[in-house]
Amino acid sequence: MHSHHESASVFNWAQLILALPFLMAWFLYLLAAFTSKKKWPLYRIVLWTFGISLSLISVIGPLAERSHTDFNAHMLSHLFLGMLAPLLLSLSAPLTLAFRSLSVQIGRKLSKLLKSKPLKIAVHPLAASILNIGGLWVLYTTGLYGLMHEHKWIYVLVHVHIFLAGYLFTIAFLYIDPVSKRYSFKFRAAVLILAFAGHGILSKFIYANPPAGVPVKQAETAGMLMYYGGDVIDILIIVVFCYQWYHASRQGTSLSQANPS
Amino acid sequence: MEKRQALNALSGVLFGLGLVAFFDETVFHQLLYWHHFYDKSTTDIGLVSDGIFHSFSWFATIASLFMFADLRRKNVFYGKRWIGGILTGAGAFQLYDGTVQHKLMGLHQIRYGVNILPYDLVWNITAAAMLAAGIMLLIKTRHGVKADA
């Protein structure tokens, strides 16, 4: 990889493009939450604000700057942008808030969009896992990681993908907001385990096979950061998932009889 | 009635499996540094097996505790059977780890730079003992319907 002494200024417009949607989303969410006739829970506003902040930290400012040259910084921002922020944002139920605040007509259009074929396929647990974990395998096992630091537009696209795939992944397994089709707990549990396994295996693979241009020592610590950091967020997702399962089985006689929806 | 028997055992098995995995990770990887994060001789299949078990063990630990809460909530928790499940799950996983994953798949060894035989023996005999005790407890509590919670 060539040197990145100019990266701070070169990547400015890329940072701006990535940061703006988050700032807008934050503003719109607050606007909707505070003008809502029915009281919108404060904890959701807090979760949303945390999620947006973590996303911003990953795409703009010192951590984002450092991630161009330091694989550990990149990995930390990956954990924030691709895992923790999507979890916090999905827990704050933005779609539910949107449906509550939008006019009936626009609400209908939105729900039609959500029921469209491509989105319906994308929130299938298998498709969401492949987009998310598969995307990471492509990023770290091909030349894409190196290319990303040489071309700004690839850098932007990769980061948009990391966030969107992470968000899609979270809402494909945790049903906080309405989704077009709900899959059974058992099916989601099985796919979730495989997806987390794919993430863990990739972490160890990176430890042993650094992406092109990444020094061995950095790949080792970053691989461990991805592995154990991933664990922490996996655990949070599993707890919410199992809580939903536990909650749904209240009427039934056992957890195994619980059905979704 | 049979369903609750099975669920008590299953919750225990999953918890036992998760417990051993957690113990392995904290004590042998993090505290003692006996196990390696990645052994350069690890086979691909070893890496995949490790990944799936690692991911499954987190899920098993958390799910088993929610199952435990569910059994308690429905007043059908049966402690002895649950403990039988724990020993079975813990023993089975440790035995699999010590024989198949450590030896056949070459995932990593218990310790490096020492004579490994005593370590392997202690590891696998403990595992087999837990497994045997667990299975015996499960058989003994097969017909027990009364919840002793």
Side-chain angles (χ1 to χ4, degrees):
Chain A
M1 220 187 294
H2 63 79
S3 67
H4 294 289
H5 53 277
E6 282 180 312
S7 60
S9 54
V10 168
F11 276 91
N12 268 349
W13 69 259
Q15 292 193 355
L16 209 62
I17 286 182
L18 287 169
L20 271 179
F22 287 114
L23 285 171
M24 267 168 61
W26 184 61
F27 177 73
L28 287 175
Y29 188 97
L30 288 193
L31 191 71
F34 288 121
T35 55
S36 166
K37 275 176 226 123
K38 254 169 73 186
K39 205 171 176 307
W40 186 251
L42 182 67
Y43 80 89
R44 289 207 156 132
I45 300 174
V46 174
L47 286 175
W48 183 261
T49 304
F50 267 127
I52 295 283
S53 311
L54 284 175
S55 308
L56 286 173
I57 287 171
S58 329
V59 295
I60 201 166
L63 184 67
E65 301 279 354
R66 246 186 85 183
S67 73
H68 294 300
T69 48
D70 180 353
F71 193 54
N72 285 306
H74 164 83
M75 199 49 83
L76 187 64
S77 73
H78 150 87
L79 286 174
F80 287 167
L81 187 66
M83 295 182 85
L84 193 51
L87 175 62
L88 295 172
L89 295 176
S90 64
L91 288 177
S92 42
L95 271 180
T96 306
L97 179 64
F99 278 119
R100 194 187 276 191
S101 330
L102 293 170
S103 71
V104 180
Q105 279 161 316
I106 302 177
R108 276 208 195 106
K109 273 186 193 152
L110 181 63
S111 96
K112 224 175 140 186
L113 177 77
L114 292 175
K115 280 181 190 144
S116 67
K117 199 92 191 176
L119 274 182
K120 231 175 165 171
I121 295 170
V123 294
H124 187 287
L126 275 175
S129 302
I130 291 168
L131 281 171
N132 191 21
I133 311 295
L136 292 176
W137 274 91
V138 172
L139 178 61
Y140 297 123
T141 61
T142 68
L144 188 59
Y145 182 75
L147 275 178
M148 172 178 102
H149 292 295
E150 283 165 32
H151 303 278
K152 277 172 273 188
W153 59 276
I154 298 182
Y155 178 85
V156 171
L157 282 182
V158 165
H159 281 71
V160 169
H161 177 87
I162 286 180
F163 173 75
L164 285 182
Y167 187 76
L168 206 61
F169 181 81
T170 316
I171 62 169
F173 290 96
L174 304 178
Y175 297 151
I176 310 279
D177 270 330
V179 281
S180 50
K181 188 170 176 355
R182 289 169 165 257
Y183 294 88
S184 77
F185 280 106
K186 275 184 182 168
F187 176 68
R188 277 181 289 151
V191 181
L192 195 61
I193 289 168
L194 289 180
F196 286 160
H199 191 267
I201 294 167
L202 180 60
S203 320
K204 289 202 171 179
F205 185 84
I206 289 172
Y207 181 95
N209 309 279
V214 173
V216 174
K217 271 272 163 283
Q218 270 185 29
E220 287 183 353
T221 46
M224 291 173 90
L225 178 64
M226 180 174 171
Y227 190 80
Y228 293 114
D231 272 1
V232 174
I233 301 158
D234 289 356
I235 289 167
L236 294 175
I237 293 176
I238 297 169
V239 168
V240 177
F241 179 83
C242 286
Y243 176 75
Q244 290 183 337
W245 197 340
Y246 174 78
H247 193 72
S249 81
R250 190 182 292 266
Q251 289 84 17
T253 52
S254 71
L255 272 180
S256 64
Q257 287 172 348
N259 278 313
S261 78
Chain B
M1 295 308 109
E2 283 196 355
K3 184 126 210 159
R4 75 169 63 147
Q5 290 297 318
L7 275 172
N8 271 292
L10 181 65
S11 167
V13 168
L14 292 177
F15 187 70
L17 198 154
L19 201 65
V20 162
F22 183 73
F23 192 77
D24 182 64
E25 192 64 58
T26 47
V27 176
F28 291 101
H29 279 273
Q30 304 296 342
L31 295 175
L32 296 173
Y33 289 109
W34 278 11
H35 289 178
H36 282 185
F37 180 74
Y38 183 96
D39 187 325
K40 302 287 186 220
S41 67
T42 302
T43 57
D44 289 348
I45 183 74
L47 201 56
V48 171
S49 169
D50 177 57
I52 290 175
F53 262 92
H54 180 73
S55 155
F56 182 72
S57 66
W58 280 126
F59 197 94
T61 316
I62 297 162
S64 67
L65 289 174
F66 274 99
M67 285 170 85
F68 170 81
D70 187 54
L71 291 166
R72 292 293 304 267
R73 176 172 69 181
K74 282 156 187 160
N75 237 331
V76 292
F77 176 67
Y78 185 10
K80 253 191 205 157
R81 191 162 176 78
W82 194 66
I83 288 169
I86 291 183
L87 287 169
T88 309
F93 181 40
Q94 192 175 321
L95 195 60
Y96 170 79
D97 192 33
T99 52
V100 178
Q101 291 198 145
H102 286 178
K103 294 298 153 191
L104 281 174
M105 295 176 175
L107 194 61
H108 50 232
Q109 299 306 324
I110 297 169
R111 214 177 164 177
Y112 292 80
V114 291
N115 178 18
I116 195 75
L117 187 67
Y119 290 93
D120 277 337
L121 284 177
V122 171
W123 186 277
N124 287 312
I125 290 171
T126 324
M130 281 198 289
L131 183 60
I135 290 174
M136 261 158 55
L137 250 179
L138 282 184
I139 292 172
K140 258 179 70 180
T141 54
R142 215 172 8 169
H143 302 295
V145 211
K146 229 180 150 237
D148 61 357

